[in-house]
Amino acid sequence: MKKRILFVCLGNICRSPSAEAVFKGLVDAKNETSLYEIDSAGTYGYHEGESADRRMQSHAVKRGYNLTSISRPFNPGVDWDSFDYIVGMDDSNMQNLKNMARNPDDLKKLHKMTDFSKSYDYQEVPDPYYGGEKGFELVLDLLEDASDGLYDFINNK
Ligand code: 4NP
């Protein structure tokens, strides 16, 4: 059975589309693409239907990640059942997701991305939307590091 991962941020135009692309890049490099189903969503539907933020895209592409996903809101009636790991980017995402959980089994699927960090001591992947260029680079640095840790966690390494 495929391992199904959903990355979640606020708008689904910066952090979670990047997490999706970075984690896909990691499993592609291991020739394990077919073992995973990877998607992303936002807790807030304002950007629904939009491509990833242009600034986020331009930073990501420099590292070889194409952000192809289209923003969509988290759908509690479907997504809790369709994924094995629901991974939030910051504490606010985590609270919003907790509020949308229907039962204790849903909550067991919930994780925060930075809990898988190996080299960074950040408690959240900070929202880069209103900040400068460095914020987008930090998002990618944190996601590359935590993706490694998430892979190990999923595969009991
Ligand atoms: P994201 O970033 O949650 O990483 O996609 C944001 C995108 C949009 C907004 C906030 C954060 N916004 O307020 O519109």
Side-chain angles (χ1 to χ4, degrees):
M1 235 199 10
K2 285 196 187 197
K3 295 162 187 180
R4 305 168 302 171
I5 309 161
L6 182 69
F7 295 103
V8 180
C9 62
L10 177 64
N12 191 212
I13 55 169
C14 295
R15 293 165 293 173
S16 61
S18 300
E20 181 186 343
V22 168
F23 197 82
K24 271 185 181 156
L26 187 153
V27 298
D28 288 351
K30 296 177 188 287
N31 290 317
E32 294 180 0
T33 312
S34 63
L35 303 183
Y36 291 85
E37 188 180 316
I38 305 162
D39 194 7
S40 65
T43 58
Y44 169 67
Y46 186 73
H47 294 279
E48 185 169 3
E50 294 179 20
S51 301
D53 183 282
R54 284 185 184 283
R55 298 163 296 170
M56 192 74 248
Q57 288 199 43
S58 75
H59 286 273
V61 85
K62 284 186 209 154
R63 301 194 192 195
Y65 307 114
N66 269 317
L67 305 188
T68 54
S69 79
I70 301 295
S71 175
R72 70 163 180 93
F74 182 80
N75 182 345
V78 175
D79 289 326
W80 289 116
D81 295 322
S82 300
F83 294 91
D84 309 305
Y85 304 89
I86 311 266
V87 185
M89 297 294 135
D90 66 23
D91 291 329
S92 160
N93 309 149
M94 295 299 287
Q95 191 56 56
N96 287 329
L97 287 164
K98 278 178 194 163
N99 293 343
M100 289 189 272
R102 304 157 305 174
N103 55 53
D105 282 342
D106 288 351
L107 287 173
K108 280 188 213 153
K109 298 182 170 185
L110 186 55
H111 302 274
K112 188 164 69 173
M113 191 63 172
T114 46
D115 289 343
F116 303 110
S117 296
K118 288 182 147 180
S119 308
Y120 286 88
D121 189 21
Y122 276 73
Q123 305 312 308
E124 305 184 300
V125 180
D127 181 349
Y129 194 70
Y130 293 107
E133 303 295 308
K134 279 186 182 160
F136 294 94
E137 287 299 312
L138 176 62
V139 165
L140 293 166
D141 289 339
L142 293 173
L143 292 177
E144 288 182 332
D145 181 51
S147 288
D148 239 10
L150 174 60
Y151 178 90
D152 290 351
F153 177 77
I154 289 172
N155 294 288
N156 303 308
K157 290 199 174 157

